[in-house]
């Protein structure tokens, strides 16, 4: 199992184990990639270690001829190739699509299609007609194979994990109020850090409108409560309490 095949004319080889692969598919991918020379020994090793359900999908690179044991060890531990994609502040959908294309992670057309798909936006809880404004600037570590939908989900989750999005969703209109790093709510006033180009510029106006609308609703609710209280303690001439129309 630990015997290493000859390294003559060996160049770095990459092989991708597809997501959801069962043991036969894993063996097939490794064989077709020219990595696994003893498939029966590999299967035996997997069965003896009870790891058939613990093999990891992803892209693997082998800089030298591996032994069967080394192949199993790499796939079992998930020693896959990772890609770091840095989304700078102020990047839009097209910028992100270009970055993903640069790393061969997704085609721009498929990423933009996912970022504007009504079904995908609904799944991610993003209002509007695109994911613009919800792609958090950060360095992401991605593993192939990855879909545009998974990339969008990672970026959307990053907003929540970092605590920079607090959704105050209007249950009737489903309009969120997003607080990004560039936006600071101080004593009821919205302040924008103009020295930092980012998503705040586009969200500032919407945020002000929502604050204004929320204040109007709260003020109207207070007026109604005062009116209810006043009428509740004033019986009409018929001896019944009168309620506001």
């Amino acid at each position: 199992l630990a015997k290493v095949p000859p390294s003559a004319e060996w160049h770095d080889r990459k092989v991708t184990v597809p997501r959801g692969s069962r043991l036969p598919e894993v063996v097939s991918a490794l064989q077709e990639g020219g990595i696994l020379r003893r498939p029966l020994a590999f299967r035996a090793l997997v069965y003896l270690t009870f790891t058939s359900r613990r093999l990891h999908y992803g892209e693997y690179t082998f800089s030298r001829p591996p032994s069967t044991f080394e192949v199993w060890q790499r796939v079992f531990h998930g020693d896959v190739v990772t890609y770091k994609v840095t989304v700078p502040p102020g990047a839009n959908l097209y910028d992100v699509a270009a970055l993903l294309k640069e790393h061969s992670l997704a085609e721009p057309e498929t990423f933009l299609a996912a970022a504007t798909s009504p079904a995908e936006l609904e799944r991610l809880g993003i209002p509007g007609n695109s994911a613009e404004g919800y792609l958090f600037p950060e360095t992401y570590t991605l593993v192939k194979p990855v879909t545009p939908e998974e990339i969008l989900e990672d970026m959307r989750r990053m907003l929540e994990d970092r605590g920079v999005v607090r959704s105050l969703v209007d249950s009737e209109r489903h309009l969120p109020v997003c607080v990004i790093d560039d936006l600071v709510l101080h004593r009821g006033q919205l302040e924008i850090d103009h020295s930092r180009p980012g998503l705040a510029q586009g969200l500032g106006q919407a945020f002000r409108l929502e604050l204004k609308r929320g204040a109007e609703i709260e003020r109207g609710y207070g007026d109604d409560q005062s009116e209810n209280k006043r009428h509740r303690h004033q019986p009409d001439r018929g001896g019944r309490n009168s309620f506001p129309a």
Side-chain angles (χ1 to χ4, degrees):
L1 292 179
K3 184 178 179 180
V4 178
S7 58
E9 299 183 358
W10 180 278
H11 301 286
D12 286 357
R13 297 186 184 181
K14 289 186 177 181
V15 59
T16 299
V17 175
R19 181 194 302 272
S21 296
R22 301 175 67 87
L23 180 57
E25 288 81 18
V26 173
V27 172
S28 177
L30 294 172
Q31 278 189 283
E32 292 175 3
I35 302 300
L36 188 61
R37 302 180 69 232
R38 302 178 63 187
L40 292 180
F42 181 85
R43 286 173 177 268
L45 185 56
V46 170
Y47 288 132
L48 289 173
T49 55
F50 302 99
T51 55
S52 61
R53 295 180 178 272
R54 301 171 65 183
L55 303 179
H56 293 77
Y57 77 90
E59 183 182 60
Y60 295 85
T61 297
F62 295 86
S63 58
R64 63 182 182 84
S67 66
T68 302
F69 180 79
E70 288 174 329
V71 175
W72 168 81
Q73 195 173 39
R74 295 277 300 277
V75 179
F76 170 63
H77 290 292
D79 187 13
V80 298
V81 179
T82 58
Y83 295 84
K84 292 188 180 299
V85 179
T86 299
V87 178
N92 58 30
L93 287 177
Y94 296 94
D95 297 328
V96 176
L99 288 171
L100 297 175
K101 171 66 174 178
E102 180 180 336
H103 291 82
S104 300
L105 290 166
E107 290 297 324
E109 296 79 9
T110 57
F111 177 77
L112 293 173
T116 55
S117 166
E120 181 63 17
L121 295 175
E122 182 179 0
R123 184 182 74 85
L124 296 175
I126 298 177
N129 55 11
S130 79
E132 192 73 72
Y134 285 84
L135 307 183
F136 186 66
E138 180 61 274
T139 297
Y140 296 87
T141 301
L142 302 175
V143 175
K144 293 181 180 179
V146 63
T147 66
E149 291 77 11
E150 290 169 337
I151 296 173
L152 288 169
E153 186 173 357
D154 285 346
M155 293 182 173
R156 178 71 176 91
R157 188 184 302 114
M158 184 65 74
L159 285 169
E160 299 174 351
D161 291 347
R162 291 301 178 88
V164 294
V165 169
R166 298 166 180 82
S167 59
L168 307 176
V169 181
D170 182 330
S171 60
E172 295 180 357
R173 297 192 305 164
H174 301 285
L175 295 177
V177 177
C178 296
V179 182
I180 310 296
D181 281 344
D182 308 64
L183 300 180
V184 180
L185 183 61
H186 179 64
R187 294 182 180 178
Q189 299 296 320
L190 179 67
E191 301 174 359
I192 299 179
D193 183 359
H194 295 279
S195 65
R196 298 179 58 192
L199 306 177
Q201 303 299 325
L203 294 172
Q205 184 62 27
F207 193 88
R208 290 192 184 91
L209 290 175
E210 286 299 312
L211 287 178
K212 180 180 179 182
R213 182 175 182 275
E216 291 175 350
I217 292 175
E218 184 176 357
R219 184 169 56 251
Y221 176 78
D223 292 343
D224 289 343
Q225 291 295 96
S226 298
E227 187 71 10
N228 286 342
K229 184 176 181 180
R230 183 173 65 84
H231 283 284
R232 202 161 35 239
H233 291 84
Q234 291 182 3
D236 63 9
R237 293 184 178 181
R240 294 173 299 175
N241 290 335
S242 83
F243 297 89

